[in-house]
Amino acid sequence: QVHLVESGGGSVQAGGSLTLSCAASGYTTKASTMAWFRQAPGKEREGVAAISTGSNLRTFYANSVEGRFTISQNNANNTLYLRMSALTPEDTAMYYCAAARGLVYASILASAPYSYWGQGTQVTVSS
């Protein structure tokens, strides 16, 4: 059974940084696609960043976070990370880790390809 557990959320002032972690059990991050999503109150869930590790490592970012967020993973401990910097109040949301069954080749920042989801960790950015 796959379990994804996020951690690292919290409150930070605008311009600050946070690093989120997602520990995966029952799932190997090798040859996989994993992603971070977020959902703010009253808004739809948004794909923030994804990482796919097939024959080549590929990363993908939403336009809203490109250049500020970095997704990475550690295959030795099956952990996914999201390094967030230059945070703004618009980044305030619940952040979710997601994992797909195998590799994703299309719509990688959409929710549909992902079968496993964590419970989320809250990120609050104050101005």
Side-chain angles (χ1 to χ4, degrees), residues 33-59:
T33 301
M34 298 186 73
W36 288 96
F37 289 78
R38 67 185 181 187
Q39 188 166 20
K43 294 188 176 181
E44 293 188 354
R45 186 163 54 189
E46 171 192 22
V48 173
I51 184 167
S52 193
T53 53
S55 55
N56 297 306
L57 175 69
R58 302 177 297 151
T59 56

Side-chain angles (χ1 to χ4, degrees), residues 19 55 65 81 88 106:
T19 297
S55 55
V65 307
Y81 301 98
T88 74

Side-chain angles (χ1 to χ4, degrees), residues 43-90:
K43 294 188 176 181
E44 293 188 354
R45 186 163 54 189
E46 171 192 22
V48 173
I51 184 167
S52 193
T53 53
S55 55
N56 297 306
L57 175 69
R58 302 177 297 151
T59 56
F60 304 84
Y61 297 93
N63 290 338
S64 57
V65 307
E66 181 88 51
R68 300 187 299 121
F69 290 12
T70 303
I71 189 171
S72 63
Q73 65 186 45
N74 185 330
N75 293 333
N77 60 15
N78 286 332
T79 302
L80 179 72
Y81 301 98
L82 184 69
R83 172 66 176 173
M84 307 183 294
S85 60
L87 286 161
T88 74
E90 288 68 38

Side-chain angles (χ1 to χ4, degrees), residues 90-109:
E90 288 68 38
D91 296 314
T92 295
M94 185 71 79
Y95 282 72
Y96 299 92
C97 168
R101 291 176 180 162
L103 297 174
V104 176
Y105 294 97
S107 303
I108 201 167
L109 290 179

